[in-house]
Amino acid sequence: MRHLARLADYCSITNMHTKNLAIVWAPNLLRSKQIESACFSGTAAFMEVRIQSVVVEFILNHVDVLFSSKLSSVIRDGAGACA
């Protein structure tokens, strides 16, 4: 994810900002067996992929916070307190 976020930093050159990267990568990063099955129509599959791309775009826009070592330690310490 950090790599894709770094690619977005060069969007002025590549025109691959976070939205475009999310559209391209979301189906691979958030692969869904339901979409691949025959029971999904074209419209339903499109809506599912659209949701996936919004999630990936959010992650790319907040990669520094979501994947920071500080957040990881808070999660780790919080998980230990509940056990």
Side-chain angles (χ1 to χ4, degrees):
M1 288 308 234
R2 287 182 199 264
H3 176 71
L4 292 178
R6 270 181 272 174
L7 285 176
D9 291 339
Y10 296 95
C11 66
S12 61
I13 298 167
T14 64
N15 201 32
M16 291 300 286
H17 42 80
T18 55
K19 185 173 185 136
N20 286 346
L21 289 167
I23 290 168
V24 171
W25 284 96
N28 292 307
L29 294 172
L30 301 177
R31 190 171 209 146
S32 171
K33 294 287 184 187
Q34 291 176 329
I35 293 174
E36 294 174 3
S37 71
C39 67
F40 259 75
S41 68
T43 304
F46 173 76
M47 291 305 294
E48 187 73 19
V49 170
R50 186 167 182 260
I51 292 167
Q52 289 175 341
S53 69
V54 168
V55 170
V56 171
E57 184 179 2
F58 176 84
I59 293 169
L60 290 175
N61 285 325
H62 299 90
V63 73
D64 291 335
V65 174
L66 294 171
F67 296 101
S68 73
S69 58
K70 188 175 183 179
L71 181 63
S72 297
S73 67
V74 168
I75 292 170
R76 186 178 53 248
D77 293 343
C82 293

